[in-house]
């Protein structure tokens, strides 16, 4: 990448109030971020699971795809508007649920919500937000969805759902690929811990977990943590409790997506959690075509992981996604320039997508099909 | 690469009046150039779109091809002469249309034209030349073609065509792959702007564009810029206005080339604009064989992108091109040593092609077929 | 890898008595080790044969495999227990036979044996241990197997077998892939020699080899060294001498494994000796599927080479292994923190395997089949 | 590679009289050589044509092959002896014809010949030797063959052949892949010229070439240089002039090798001249299997290019070669330690081949077949 690399200073810099002239791409925010984020937090955010093979694969799998452009197409009626899960979106990009945003900026999720509102970009608020889901909703005039980590207590899960419904969230996105944290060696080596003052405010009233004890032959993983996480029947139960459409976030196996469709769920986010949980898994983009083929054109499929360019959005759509989610870059932009940064980030991505569509000769979202890619 | 890398000085060096002994290849000009070209201009020239994946792919796709030589062939009647678009060329290499050549040398396109004349190398003058098309033509005794950016005003387009006809240009090459600039992050990060005193002199009398205003849901890309660029029917209109043969520059999709042939156009330049506009597109050389197969042997196909070696020219011809175009290296050679540099550059490339043909056992251009490459 | 690289000091550091906070993976032990091991010894341990292509291939072949996880599976009855060669193992990981462990820590194999006991990890003691096989056995409450280098004297071989039987070893693992050392250039360049005080104590009473002389046309390799190493009929002889199950360590060719099965041997370790003997051979993991297909589900197949992650163990099992062996990391952990280090190392690997199984949706060892990997 | 890199001093060092302890592989000689060879000469020797893609491909194509070893084979009757072109060789490695050896050591080819004699390694003397072919022959008790560059004057060619016959050379190896030097940019950039005092002594009495003049449309390559080089009918003529078996050196195309066989020639050296002439050609090893299949088992096929390891020799034989030739390393060893260096080099290679054969379970040259490689 061109430009200079910002090295990590002793004390993180205060967020900027204007965008520097050489900050012109999503990746530039990753380049600037280390100067604005404490080192252990930066490692926690940027890092992936274990050896970060999936993190790298998310990028390389996108890079391996080629767009095959058409020339001299009339694009004057073009635009990025689209319909996803029954909602009209200004562009097929959403802010992925990202936990604990006050880690990088004092306004946290509130700044993100304002930027989303300005750019008309759908935002998915996290169960683990550092600002209450109600406060986020109050600041967000764009489409707003709620990401749900199902809790061991069904009552408490239901309480979260009711609050989301009441606050005006229109979709429930249930994360299913992170029952455990994964092996976060990079964050561990940097000594990352959640700093004081940053907390999961939505969970303040969570009932305490029953204390557990294990026999020598038992495992804290299987007999401990895994007993607290949702299974398929918990999803079925959730369906009976709410009218909000439910999507599952974090599926990779076509049979799992098929099962979600068969249960009558609304959609799925094809994702490996940004390469942050289990390492050595496929990238979402490489699983997407066979999943789309399996579930047909009407089941909603979203995708996240390494989306950084308008061409990345384009490729995901051409491979079968209805829209994509943007994770880490939110935090980088938030740290570098607060709500201005996030808004700028979203504008860059939208403009890049428009330029890509125009140069590819595909003026509308519906025109972006597998035909627009070089067959592999 | 051997030799030392020239680092960028504070003030660019004046062009050399003699060729250094270690400047022996086209790539060596790229190595020398940063000492002779202001940094932002160098970044603008050398850079590609976005992450420069297509820029790199142009190179790697050529490198991936292998020539399978024949031994002990009688090459004494050999030579590089060829016939392209009805014109006899000394060798199957042309100077691609490159805008604003006074950016790197005060004589700009005039020096290039003189070098082309000496080496009998066809030159394609750009609509965006920094010296008038008439002045270029007056200096150029080699085959000269005119590259046309079609203008929003058909009258003004026609005026350019008439000037080109009058100045003695024998072909019209209409660029169709750059309706927008693409995402030129590298040039943006370096702060590149067209310096004062360098301008598109051919367009001085261009009528002002009507002022536009957009509704909030509209896009400056689709409803703005894309309304000013040519579509297929503009090409059809142009055919009715001139007797000059027309080639389209910037096609990659076989169906687009087919359509150009069906319309009765003269040829096509398979190109991704040197990786400068839409990133993540295939390299021309990888699309070429299926395009050649689709249009048959008689339709003229040219190619540009990363041509730096006699072996590159050879490979392009073996894959189905009639000739190739040379872009960026022109500017490097012009900056380093003016007309002498460009002439030297062209001589290097011709001699490398001759050596390649001799060592491959293919003494004439007609002998360079797919048989001369290792099947993949 | 994150964190800092420990550079080799003049004098190796003494082993640590507590685990540093940034030592969180098996690879971290390799990062720390150079500060604790004399340079020539480190080169001897870390190095592979010749150009180390097989050493690298062992790693890259594992990295090339992708786990395809299932979501929302009930894992509460999960665990890593398994049955190998008739013995129940706490997890499908064994300590490979590693020679001369006092090279890196004064307690050598005794410390390793204690760590194995604490973690209930099977240990394979080497013929070339620097502590007697009886002393190792006395310290090891975990499953203990004996690795046998067959000796030129059948009597002396038998003497070793009888001692192993008497000491309570339950399996014989006969190494067959290192009749010669291979081309250990890295160790040679570092000037490695076995330091004084480190010796193969089990072989102290070995009868002297008959002195050999060669004609000019003869070779010290073929007519010398290779006359002292076992052939298939020596294995058949060994079968008649002991009731201990015999596995062959160091097979790669499916036909050789088949032959071992046909002879009635108990199993095979698919291995290229950690890339330390013949360079340019396949990695065990790439040979494993066709070997498993050839011998069926019931023949015991183990694997070693580059196992460093829970995901590596998982992949080996999914490709057909019953368990894996851990080589070099033992020495790194032993050097860095003695028995504490080895125990920590084994705990890391077990926990990583548990997390992998939980996140992959395969709660038991039996669930880890080829279905759990992305088809290639 | 381990060890330190020798940097080029101002004045090259004198050859060593003893082999350093860390000089243990063929590649180590390449590492030491820059300290013993003047920089421009080093660049000339080490360099390849143009961008050196074929130079690198020669190495990578060998590295891509995997040996699939057999265990527990009886190798006690093994050895490297073989029969090539009717002559018995101690091992299937020959010293390739390498020009101007006094460039790197005052004794030049004489030292090489003595080393070859000691190691019983066949030597191919070059037409362009810096010591007379008769003097070389007088020093060489090993098999000695003569490499012939055919001259424009058939009389003079014949004079060279008669001298070779008289001096006791038993084979003629006619180089056909270097009618031109190729694009030697690396040597050019370093300013390489043949230093005074080094000359092609065998050609001292060569008749002067007729002076040539060219028309403007003619080419010095085609109408000049290529008129002086041999064609197929010159080879046929040569066959009528000598009883020595003739092999052609520098074929890559299966049809050319077939033609050589059909003419009744004795064999071919599959070679791309060490990547030194035409760049972007396949490596010999990748062409070899289809060539062997085309000509059957009885036609002699040799190979050169990047042979540095016993495993390389093994792979070439397994792919179909009868023996291999060693080029550049001769000069490195000669420069570093004169005849001692060359002898050491040859001993390393023979011992590595023996170790490879022993570890692969292929005790004789005849056992090294395609079966010994992993199918690709």
């Amino acid at each position: 990448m061109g430009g200079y690399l910002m090295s990590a200073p002793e004390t993180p810099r205060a967020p900027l109030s204007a965008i520097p002239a050489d900050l012109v791409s999503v990746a530039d925010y990753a380049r600037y971020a280390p100067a604005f984020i404490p080192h252990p937090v930066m490692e926690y955010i940027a890092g992936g699971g274990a050896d970060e093979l999936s993190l790298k694969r998310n990028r390389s799998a996108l890079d391996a795809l080629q767009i095959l452009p058409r020339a001299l197409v009339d694009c004057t009626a073009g635009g990025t508007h689209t319909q996803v899960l029954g909602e009209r979106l200004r562009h097929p990009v959403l802010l992925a649920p990202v936990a604990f945003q006050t880690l990088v900026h004092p306004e946290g999720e509130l700044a993100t919500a304002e930027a989303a509102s300005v750019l008309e970009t759908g935002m998915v608020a996290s169960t683990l937000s550092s600002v209450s889901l109600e406060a986020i909703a109050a600041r967000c005039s764009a489409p707003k969805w709620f990401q749900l980590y199902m809790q061991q207590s069904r009552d408490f899960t239901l309480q979260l759902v009711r609050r989301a419904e009441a606050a005006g969230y229109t979709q429930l996105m249930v994360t299913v690929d992170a029952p455990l944290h994964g092996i976060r060696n990079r964050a561990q080596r940097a000594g990352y811990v959640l700093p004081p003052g940053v907390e999961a405010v939505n969970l303040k009233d969570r009932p305490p977990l029953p204390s557990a004890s294990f026999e020598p032959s038992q495992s804290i993983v299987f007999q401990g943590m895994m007993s607290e996480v949702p299974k398929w029947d918990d999803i079925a139960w959730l369906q009976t409790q709410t009218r909000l459409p439910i999507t599952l976030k974090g599926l990779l196996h076509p049979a799992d997506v098929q099962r979600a469709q068969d249960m009558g769920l609304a959609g799925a986010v094809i994702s490996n959690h940004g390469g942050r949980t289990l390492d050595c898994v496929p990238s979402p983009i490489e699983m997407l075509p066979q999943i789309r083929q399996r579930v047909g054109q009407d089941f909603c499929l979203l995708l996240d992981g390494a989306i950084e360019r308008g061409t990345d959005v384009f490729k995901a759509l051409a491979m079968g996604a209805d829209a994509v989610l943007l994770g880490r870059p939110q935090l980088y932009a938030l740290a570098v320039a607060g709500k201005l940064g996030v808004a700028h980030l979203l504008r860059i991505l939208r403009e890049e997508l428009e330029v890509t569509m125009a140069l590819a000769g595909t003026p509308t979202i519906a025109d972006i099909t597998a035909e627009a890619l070089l067959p592999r």
Side-chain angles (χ1 to χ4, degrees), chain A:
Chain A
M1 181 171 52
Y4 60 99
L5 262 170
M6 306 289 288
S7 63
E10 284 301 299
T11 311
R13 296 176 53 178
L16 304 175
S17 55
I19 305 297
D22 74 340
L23 209 170
V24 295
S25 71
V26 173
D28 286 331
Y29 276 103
R31 178 168 58 92
Y32 267 78
F36 297 82
I37 298 178
H39 180 68
V41 176
M42 183 69 203
E43 291 294 275
Y44 165 73
I45 296 169
D51 297 315
E52 306 193 336
L53 299 179
S54 290
L55 181 65
K56 290 173 201 122
R57 191 177 182 101
N58 285 358
R59 180 72 253 142
S60 60
L62 280 164
D63 286 346
L65 300 173
Q66 307 300 314
I67 300 170
L68 186 49
R70 302 302 299 258
L72 295 164
V73 174
D74 187 343
C75 291
T76 50
T80 60
H81 293 88
T82 188
Q83 195 90 3
V84 173
L85 288 168
E87 302 190 36
R88 182 167 169 82
L89 300 181
R90 180 73 173 84
H91 59 163
V93 175
L94 295 137
L95 288 167
V98 172
F100 301 126
Q101 301 195 10
T102 58
L103 268 175
V104 301
H105 190 280
E107 295 176 46
E109 289 84 354
L110 298 182
T112 306
E114 288 196 34
S117 303
V118 172
L119 269 290
E120 302 172 59
T121 301
M123 174 175 180
V124 190
S126 170
T127 292
L128 299 177
S129 57
S130 48
V131 167
S132 79
L133 66 89
E134 289 82 2
I136 296 169
R139 288 282 182 99
C140 186
S141 65
K144 47 185 173 285
W145 304 355
F146 185 69
Q147 178 272 340
L148 177 67
Y149 276 116
M150 293 184 76
Q151 306 292 314
Q152 197 172 13
S153 153
R154 283 188 170 182
D155 283 349
F156 188 65
T157 298
L158 218 47
Q159 189 178 319
L160 285 170
V161 171
R162 294 290 170 258
R163 286 172 59 190
E165 290 166 347
Y169 292 92
T170 56
Q171 311 276 344
L172 279 186
M173 183 179 284
V174 182
T175 297
V176 300
D177 63 355
L180 302 169
H181 275 312
I183 307 298
R184 299 263 177 94
N185 290 154
R186 188 161 152 196
Q188 289 174 299
R189 291 190 194 109
Y192 170 77
V193 290
L194 197 64
V198 179
E199 55 182 328
V201 294
N202 292 327
L203 307 184
K204 264 194 300 199
D205 303 329
R206 180 166 52 170
L209 295 178
S211 68
S213 66
F214 301 100
E215 295 173 39
S217 77
Q218 286 191 314
S219 144
I220 194 172
V221 168
F222 294 112
Q223 283 74 45
M225 306 177 199
M226 293 304 288
S227 68
E228 304 165 17
V229 300
K231 287 99 193 170
W232 283 106
D233 58 1
D234 298 299
I235 304 299
W237 164 82
L238 182 65
Q239 284 181 292
T240 66
Q241 303 296 318
T242 180
R243 293 231 151 151
L244 293 186
I246 298 171
T247 56
L248 300 186
K249 178 167 184 293
L251 301 184
L252 285 173
H253 201 295
D256 282 347
V257 183
Q258 170 83 69
R259 183 160 177 179
Q261 184 184 37
D262 292 346
M263 287 174 72
L265 296 172
V269 184
I270 312 308
S271 170
N272 60 20
H273 214 99
R276 296 173 72 80
T277 50
L278 181 56
D279 198 16
C280 305
V281 297
S283 65
I285 196 77
E286 63 189 309
M287 299 309 298
L288 185 55
Q290 56 186 292
I291 291 173
R292 174 53 77 197
Q293 182 163 20
R294 184 125 169 197
V295 298
Q297 288 309 308
D298 295 335
F299 190 67
C300 177
L301 295 178
L302 308 177
L303 178 142
D304 72 5
I307 299 289
E308 287 183 347
R309 286 284 185 190
T311 45
D312 293 335
V313 182
F314 186 99
K315 290 170 181 181
L317 269 55
M319 297 285 272
D322 293 302
V324 299
L325 301 158
L326 198 66
R328 291 179 182 87
Q330 285 180 60
L331 292 184
Y332 299 150
L334 189 59
V336 171
K339 73 188 77 164
L340 175 66
V342 179
H344 179 232
L345 179 88
L346 292 170
R347 190 166 63 82
I348 286 173
L349 206 56
R350 189 200 295 165
E351 285 183 5
E352 285 194 4
L353 176 59
E354 290 181 346
V355 168
T356 300
M357 292 167 70
L359 289 172
T362 50
T364 71
I365 296 300
D367 294 321
I368 304 173
T369 66
E371 305 272 297
L373 298 182
L374 186 66
R376 305 190 75 195

